[in-house]
Amino acid sequence: MEQNVYRNELERLRFTEKGKAALTDALMAEQTAGESHRHVRWMKRGVAAALAAVLLVGTAAAVAGSLWENYFGSLDQGQQEVLESLSKGLPAAVTSNGATITPLDAFGAKGVLYLMLEVEAPAGTVLPVLDEEEAVYWLSGGVDPAVRMRLETADGREREDISYSTDVTCLEDDDPADNKIIVVVNLSADQDLSGLTLHIPGLWRWETDNTFTPIFTGDFSFLISENMGKGSAVTLDVDGVTTQTPWGPITLQTMELSPLGIRWSYRIDDATARAAEQAAEEMSQDQNGMSVQAADGSQLAMEVSITPDAPVSVVLKDGTQMSVSGGFAGEEDGIQVCSGAFAAPVDLSQADYLLWGDTEIPLN
């Protein structure tokens, strides 16, 4: 996972800048070992078998749904229809330095994108199943811009004014002796992604010691459709809605709901902020001089601060609660700005209300 993801997570518990940088490096190394099993889901049968099965069904929604069930798990008819409604335009395959990356399907809504790709390494290269306790396949070679998967404008300039997190999940284990794998790229951003280009610099093995071994490199760019997910997001009237935290109330300003996730902003009441600061000071004192070790071996002191927040979820009419996770969290002009994605597309026609902390927000 890219370094900016961890910086977003560290906004919840803030440290000195040097301490944050050192802890970010440590988290990146640990996350590879600790989270890789969750992010690497190898298919038992492969996409080719799934495509053969859907020929018997014959609908576009069924085709998309069967492909994505290898990623999300079982999808009901409503979810399949939602997924299909968010699929508008697919970029062409790109070949570079003997390797080819082919989009198989894509869908998204506002600041969320799911892109399924067949990655074909140069002839003679074998892409075996990796032991996720040792390494995972990744579409970036680290945080250096020259080898980092990134969002660009149409003219190839990197978009530096957008915050986003990236996840890559390997799907196929159909033939571990060939040169192909299928991966899903999931992007979550604080701005609309339509019309931007996703640049992929190649394929790497990301080892648990946080080193990257290139398998192939090249120039692979994919335009995100401007019509993807158009009109699917709903802006809710939530300004002034409050919920309680352990330190006091926080107050919503904006909230935008889509079938893929939620984006929201809120302000922290003054008394709540003071209570959180006092709690953070007490935590810092209890640390008794705890520090984090930097790459050069030096010890850096950590100063902890607390950002009061509350979990967000959608409650369906049957009582099912769909929570959001991942995404990003940050601060803009004193306002907390957050996003989260659902574990699978949600049929909002079946939604009853939103739950922010213990506060119910009606959706009808």
Side-chain angles (χ1 to χ4, degrees):
M1 190 172 291
E2 302 287 358
Q3 189 169 2
N4 66 320
V5 179
Y6 295 107
R7 291 195 175 276
N8 288 331
E9 294 298 327
L10 289 172
E11 292 302 323
R12 298 293 174 165
L13 287 174
R14 296 189 179 89
F15 307 93
T16 61
E17 285 304 310
K18 288 185 177 179
K20 184 187 294 186
L23 188 57
T24 296
D25 292 339
L27 281 172
M28 287 181 69
E30 290 185 8
Q31 187 78 357
T32 306
E35 295 286 333
S36 60
H37 180 72
R38 180 166 60 90
H39 293 315
V40 181
R41 285 171 272 184
W42 295 101
M43 282 168 41
K44 298 296 184 182
R45 291 169 295 169
V47 169
L51 284 172
V54 301
L55 292 177
L56 301 177
V57 181
T59 66
V63 173
S66 62
L67 279 175
W68 288 103
E69 283 184 344
N70 295 305
Y71 178 79
F72 292 112
S74 179
L75 297 172
D76 62 31
Q77 184 63 31
Q79 289 176 304
Q80 291 185 31
E81 292 174 357
V82 166
L83 190 153
E84 177 62 22
S85 72
L86 300 177
S87 302
K88 301 293 182 182
L90 192 63
V94 177
T95 297
S96 180
N97 293 338
T100 300
I101 299 181
T102 304
L104 299 178
D105 203 2
F107 68 93
K110 277 294 182 116
V112 180
L113 171 70
Y114 289 91
L115 179 62
M116 185 181 292
L117 301 168
E118 180 187 71
V119 178
E120 182 178 355
T125 304
V126 176
L127 298 179
V129 175
L130 298 181
D131 180 349
E132 60 266 24
E133 299 300 322
E134 298 178 359
V136 294
Y137 290 115
W138 209 251
L139 300 177
S140 283
V143 297
D144 187 322
V147 292
R148 177 164 48 84
M149 180 167 49
R150 59 186 184 270
L151 290 172
E152 297 179 340
T153 58
D155 58 1
R157 291 182 295 108
E158 183 174 4
R159 278 289 298 269
E160 297 181 349
D161 63 335
I162 184 171
S163 296
Y164 60 95
S165 61
T166 308
D167 186 27
V168 177
T169 303
C170 295
L171 293 184
E172 189 178 11
D173 187 23
D174 210 23
D175 184 355
D178 70 3
N179 63 335
K180 297 179 182 179
I181 57 173
I182 291 179
V183 303
V184 172
V185 178
N186 174 215
L187 288 175
S188 180
D190 64 349
Q191 299 180 36
D192 191 356
L193 295 170
S194 63
L196 296 180
T197 295
L198 175 63
H199 173 76
I200 296 174
L203 182 68
W204 281 259
R205 282 174 53 107
W206 188 6
E207 314 287 344
T208 52
D209 64 0
N210 208 34
T211 59
F212 293 84
T213 303
I215 298 171
F216 65 81
T217 60
D219 185 4
F220 306 89
S221 294
F222 304 97
L223 179 64
I224 301 171
S225 171
E226 294 186 356
N227 296 317
M228 188 173 293
K230 197 169 185 178
S232 63
V234 178
T235 299
L236 306 177
D237 183 9
V238 297
D239 190 16
V241 173
T242 64
T243 196
Q244 289 293 323
T245 75
W247 306 276
I250 54 178
T251 305
L252 276 175
Q253 283 205 323
T254 64
M255 182 169 281
E256 190 174 56
L257 172 66
S258 84
L260 303 183
I262 306 174
R263 294 194 290 178
W264 69 100
S265 65
Y266 67 94
R267 62 180 182 274
I268 301 173
D269 295 33
D270 291 341
T272 303
R274 289 194 296 270
E277 289 174 1
Q278 182 176 352
E281 289 177 3
E282 293 173 355
M283 289 176 62
S284 296
Q285 293 171 1
D286 290 342
Q287 289 184 42
N288 295 323
M290 286 181 62
S291 60
V292 62
Q293 182 171 317
D296 61 3
S298 61
Q299 299 294 318
L300 301 172
M302 295 189 297
E303 296 178 2
V304 179
S305 69
I306 297 171
T307 302
D309 64 356
V312 183
S313 60
V314 167
V315 180
L316 304 182
K317 294 174 183 178
D318 64 3
T320 302
Q321 187 167 319
M322 305 292 291
S323 300
V324 295
S325 61
F328 59 88
E331 181 178 313
E332 296 178 5
D333 300 325
I335 302 298
Q336 306 301 313
V337 181
C338 310
S339 84
F342 299 120
V346 174
D347 181 0
L348 295 182
S349 69
Q350 300 303 310
D352 189 9
Y353 61 90
L354 274 170
L355 191 61
W356 185 47
D358 293 326
T359 300
E360 294 185 10
I361 303 173
L363 291 176
N364 50 24

